[in-house]
Amino acid sequence: MPTQHSFFSSDDLIIYGHLSLPSGPGPHPAIVVHTAYLGGALDSQGRYVNIREHAPLAAAGFAVFTVDQRGAPGHGDAFFRRGEVGGRDIDDLLAATRYLAARPQIDGRRLGLMGTSRGAYSGLLALTRASALWRAAVLNMGFYDPLTHVQHEHVTRPTTSPFTHFSGHSWEQVFAYYRDPSRNPLTRLRQVRTPLLVIHGDADPIIDVKQALMLLTAATAARVPITFQVIAGMDHDLEQTHPAWSALWAQIVAFFQKHLA
């Protein structure tokens, strides 16, 4: 079971993370994880429900640190109401990485980043701000042009989308929030030198595979090292039920081993 840690973000808000260590002596290479949807490792009752990255990565010799950024469940209503996507939550991810790098069990020179769905967007935006913190990044099923994605959300999930909680109380506010160029990582990829592994399903109804293709085009133009996988028939598979995941995990582990060796 992971151990819970706490640290301060840029505005002195206390943020939480959950650390699993591999067997053997450290210091260990480590992967910082930003999960999907509301983010974090916990449910609203504080139970571990979202740590599926820990077992395969720890078994491969990596420490794993899942970040409960502001707005994540399990830390009370006041913390949940602080939720943002593309704002100070990125500061939380940067603070988590710097906190982790300073732990004696961790080799701070060998850090990777893994983000899924909303976490892939947050991870890429964090890379545009501080690429040197991470030596490799895996982005799963993410959106990368936020304005086109929330426009898609407005059409497909007008009353159930989480963006009206995180980024404004009306769709007009959400659109205005993501028109800010500082929230679009695709326009700032020349600041990224971290190798990327990007994974997306071509049957994803929540985040269109076109988002991954936009990232591929922009990363190629910016000369960002990128490995790109589109999985036939895979939807927005947060539970990882598609049969491709066995091979994908082998690829993810090999990618991190290559770049964090």
Side-chain angles (χ1 to χ4, degrees), residues 133-193:
L133 287 176
W134 303 282
R135 290 176 60 173
V138 174
L139 307 177
N140 293 323
M141 302 175 282
F143 64 91
Y144 309 106
D145 183 324
L147 181 58
T148 61
H149 177 60
V150 295
Q151 289 169 339
H152 175 73
E153 285 276 291
H154 181 228
V155 172
T156 59
R157 300 196 293 177
T159 61
T160 60
S161 171
F163 285 94
T164 52
H165 164 72
F166 286 129
S167 312
H169 299 294
S170 70
W171 280 109
E172 290 74 18
Q173 289 175 312
V174 172
F175 297 151
Y177 182 84
Y178 288 112
R179 286 192 186 100
D180 184 339
S182 70
R183 305 194 199 284
N184 187 339
L186 297 186
T187 64
R188 307 168 68 194
L189 284 181
R190 293 195 181 277
Q191 301 176 54
V192 177
R193 287 295 173 264

Side-chain angles (χ1 to χ4, degrees), residues 35 49-57 66 237-240 249:
T35 60
V49 295
N50 203 8
I51 54 171
R52 62 181 52 84
E53 296 87 358
H54 287 230
L57 291 173
T66 295
D237 189 17
L238 301 183
E239 301 299 323
Q240 299 184 3
W249 268 113

Side-chain angles (χ1 to χ4, degrees), residues 19-73:
L19 178 64
S20 292
L21 294 173
S23 60
H28 305 286
I31 312 300
V32 179
V33 174
H34 193 312
T35 60
Y37 190 50
L38 298 177
L42 309 176
D43 65 10
S44 60
Q45 305 302 311
R47 298 169 296 194
Y48 282 113
V49 295
N50 203 8
I51 54 171
R52 62 181 52 84
E53 296 87 358
H54 287 230
L57 291 173
F62 299 104
V64 192
F65 194 56
T66 295
V67 182
D68 289 4
Q69 83 303 319
R70 63 190 67 207

Side-chain angles (χ1 to χ4, degrees), residues 227-248:
T227 303
F228 188 76
Q229 286 278 11
V230 172
I231 309 304
M234 190 170 81
D235 60 13
H236 202 62
D237 189 17
L238 301 183
E239 301 299 323
Q240 299 184 3
T241 60
H242 192 280
W245 277 106
S246 177
L248 286 173

